[in-house]
Amino acid sequence: MSYQRILVAVDQSAQSQIVFEKALELAQKSSGQLMIFNRLTLHEPESYSYSSVQVDKIVHHYQFIQDKLEQDLERVRLWLTGLENLAIEAGIKAEWDWKEGNAGRLICQVAKDWDADIIVMGRRGRTAIAETILGSVSYHVVHHAPCSVLIVQGK
């Protein structure tokens, strides 16, 4: 089967490099294109009870969080652009996207919106009990994806 529209779901883990390489290989074999997708993990600032004495500290704290968030987003943007460039250098049309929210739902939604033929992703390798209790992104995607799913096993 030839897959023309390949969605590759990556994070910044070591396994993601293996997942990306597998998606790139698949795209090369089928002359397909890649959508490189990353679910952003943004941390909410702590909530405070405001008092006039602490306002300056709160403003400083929120500015620090804003600066950190901007640095994190820039780091992820550069990483995704680097993956996109690797694909382009390999002769594969590629683009990337990122969103914040539930990873499994987002991957399925992006696959649907982009009309993906296949999703390539990794899995964390949790035990069956941990997956039952904590949930699993790969489990959700396999059961809700609008297309085929290739799970790349970690080493």
Side-chain angles (χ1 to χ4, degrees), residues 20 34 44 79 91-92 94 96 122 125-126 130 135 138:
F20 176 76
L34 290 180
E44 294 294 321
W79 171 68
I92 302 301
W96 60 264
R126 290 185 179 141
S138 57

Side-chain angles (χ1 to χ4, degrees), residues 41-43 64-74:
T41 306
L42 304 177
H43 301 286
F64 172 80
I65 289 173
Q66 181 66 34
D67 292 346
K68 174 95 172 82
L69 177 62
E70 289 173 11
Q71 291 169 4
D72 290 349
L73 288 174
E74 180 63 11

Side-chain angles (χ1 to χ4, degrees), residues 19-139:
V19 171
F20 176 76
E21 289 169 5
K22 188 60 151 177
L24 190 60
E25 177 187 322
L26 190 59
Q28 288 172 319
K29 287 180 180 176
S30 64
S31 299
Q33 59 182 311
L34 290 180
M35 167 61 77
I36 305 161
F37 179 73
N38 176 253
R39 190 278 304 229
L40 290 173
T41 306
L42 304 177
H43 301 286
E44 294 294 321
E46 305 134 24
S47 60
Y48 289 95
S49 58
Y50 297 99
S51 70
S52 59
V53 176
Q54 294 182 329
V55 169
D56 286 342
K57 289 181 182 178
I58 293 168
V59 168
H60 177 73
H61 179 74
Y62 276 97
Q63 184 60 51
F64 172 80
I65 289 173
Q66 181 66 34
D67 292 346
K68 174 95 172 82
L69 177 62
E70 289 173 11
Q71 291 169 4
D72 290 349
L73 288 174
E74 180 63 11
R75 188 172 28 259
V76 173
R77 187 190 67 73
L78 289 172
W79 171 68
L80 290 169
T81 301
L83 292 177
E84 177 186 32
N85 289 337
L86 286 173
I88 292 168
E89 289 168 12
I92 302 301
K93 182 179 176 188
E95 59 187 294
W96 60 264
D97 193 8
W98 61 13
K99 295 186 184 331
E100 182 186 15
N102 178 282
R105 287 189 202 116
L106 286 172
I107 292 167
C108 290
Q109 189 61 53
V110 170
K112 180 181 176 192
D113 293 346
W114 192 65
D115 198 26
D117 297 319
I118 190 168
I119 299 167
V120 180
M121 62 185 296
R123 63 182 294 262
R124 294 270 185 240
R126 290 185 179 141
T127 65
I129 293 171
E131 283 190 1
T132 301
I133 295 169
L134 300 173
S136 162
V137 174
S138 57
Y139 181 88

